Amino acid sequence: MTISTTKKVLGATGVATLLVALAGCGSAPEENTGGSAAPEPADDFKPCLISDEGGWNDRSFNQSAKEGMDRALEELDIEGIEMESTTPNDYAPNLETLVSEGCTFIVSVGFNLSAATVESALANPDIDYAIIDDWADNDFDGATDAPNIKPLVFDTAQASYLGGYAAAAWSAQNGVNKVGTFGGMQIPSVAVFMDGFEMGVDKYNEDKGAAVEVFGWDTAAQEGAFTGGFAANDTAKQTAQGVLDQGVDVILPVGGPIYQSAAAAITDAGLDVVMVGVDKDLAVADDNVTDVTLVSIMKAIDVAVYDATLEAAAGDFNVEPYVGTLENEGVKLSEFHEFEAELPEGLADELAALQEQIIAGDITVESPNSP
């Protein structure tokens, strides 16, 4: 595990997107662009962050959460603690360390930290907690298991629906008509991407009279290809290769660094295959894969963490769930970057129209893994 005290300036990383989005439960949060001052935190306010095992440089959900916390620390001009977990065995000890270090607001990054976060929150009712991609409802009674935890969740299926539609259009244009996906661990925050992706492909087939197939995931059966973790390793590469062997020309790896294994499998085999990124705009986050990243399905985790941290700093912390959707701009599709000129004619307009229909309720994207 790695522990660091952090107060740093972040570089500007925002890019224009086809479907603009931030995050939130009601209206989209407003970024502090200098027009108003950050709140003056209490003298003892200490925000802290704990990663999942993917680590801060996963170019995915952990890194995005860290960027949001770093930005809040800079604007508040305070120090916080960020602890990097390397295995699931780190979760409980890391949380104990954060409590002992005097953290007053703790953000846990990811579904896998749910049980440890609930245990810590129940033992420390005076500390405010938030958790990304989980309701902290481990007894499944419909209520958060501790009264001091704020869920930060995202209905990613909505944006993934658009990504699936785009992937199908790309593959159909190439005459391949096969797309694929695989995940890290089979947990709701992973499977929800795969659900939306398949539903988007189905929508393309319905609208165009096409027959694009999806390999690696079956939404109805909730079965598919998974690596069992979030590490970019031989298992992840072999899992990616199993999907690529089906002849797909678009692949969606869902699970932090496992996209690196998919990229390696594509490169080693010399395949003409593109990837769909998740969580962050992968073409921007990792220039090693820019040339094979068609588009990314994004969650504004950074904004959710930033916004929740500033609320806690101002004494306005509340446990109302923070749910990102297309409507409140919590999820989005990135630009197509260097692939934009190669897109099927009219695809951008079709995606914009689909988004409007989802927001209006004319299209319902129902995933068994949606928040």
Side-chain angles (χ1 to χ4, degrees), residues 67-303:
E67 290 171 354
M69 179 63 78
D70 285 349
R71 179 178 164 219
L73 293 174
E74 173 61 24
E75 292 195 12
L76 293 167
D77 194 26
I78 60 174
E79 292 186 343
I81 298 175
E82 296 170 343
M83 295 199 72
E84 187 173 41
S85 305
T86 56
T87 75
N89 292 331
D90 290 337
Y91 301 154
N94 281 356
L95 283 163
E96 290 176 6
T97 298
L98 294 180
V99 170
S100 68
E101 291 288 332
C103 297
T104 59
F105 175 60
I106 299 174
V107 181
S108 296
V109 186
F111 174 95
N112 287 328
L113 282 89
S114 185
T117 301
V118 168
E119 182 178 358
S120 183
L122 288 172
N124 299 280
D126 294 332
I127 297 177
D128 296 328
Y129 291 77
I131 185 166
I132 294 166
D133 280 338
D134 189 64
W135 289 99
D137 177 20
N138 297 305
D139 57 9
F140 306 104
D141 66 351
T144 303
D145 293 343
N148 49 332
I149 300 179
K150 180 183 184 73
L152 308 176
V153 295
F154 302 84
D155 194 359
T156 322
Q158 294 186 351
S160 195
Y161 185 97
L162 302 177
Y165 188 97
W170 181 266
S171 188
Q173 174 180 251
N174 295 337
V176 175
N177 294 306
K178 294 181 180 181
V179 301
T181 182
F182 72 102
M185 297 182 70
Q186 188 169 353
I187 56 178
S189 56
V190 170
V192 69
F193 278 94
M194 302 163 84
D195 290 338
F197 185 77
E198 184 177 41
M199 287 186 282
V201 172
D202 289 345
K203 175 61 174 173
Y204 179 85
N205 287 337
E206 177 187 338
D207 286 357
K208 305 293 186 178
V212 179
E213 297 179 84
V214 178
F215 294 89
W217 183 243
D218 182 333
T219 299
Q222 290 290 292
E223 295 177 351
F226 292 90
T227 70
F230 296 115
N233 54 24
D234 287 342
T235 299
K237 187 175 179 181
Q238 290 165 7
T239 306
Q241 189 61 58
V243 177
L244 294 170
D245 286 345
Q246 305 304 311
V248 306
D249 66 340
V250 184
I251 189 167
L252 168 69
V254 187
I258 68 171
Y259 77 86
Q260 297 169 17
S261 301
I266 292 168
T267 300
D268 290 353
L271 299 174
D272 186 13
V273 175
V274 294
M275 296 193 303
V276 177
V278 301
D279 293 334
K280 294 174 66 66
D281 187 344
L282 191 56
V284 174
D286 187 349
D287 56 14
N288 291 314
V289 297
T290 300
D291 61 342
V292 294
T293 302
L294 176 66
V295 70
S296 295
I297 301 157
M298 303 171 65
K299 299 188 298 191
I301 292 172
D302 55 340
V303 179

Side-chain angles (χ1 to χ4, degrees), residues 33 83 159 228 236 241 255 284 307 333 345:
T33 58
M83 295 199 72
Q241 189 61 58
V284 174
D307 207 48
L333 204 62
E345 184 177 356

Side-chain angles (χ1 to χ4, degrees), residues 321-341:
Y322 186 94
V323 182
T325 65
L326 287 176
E327 182 175 12
N328 63 26
E329 302 183 330
V331 295
K332 62 184 174 182
L333 204 62
S334 75
E335 283 188 334
F336 290 86
H337 299 291
E338 61 186 54
F339 289 99
E340 189 164 353

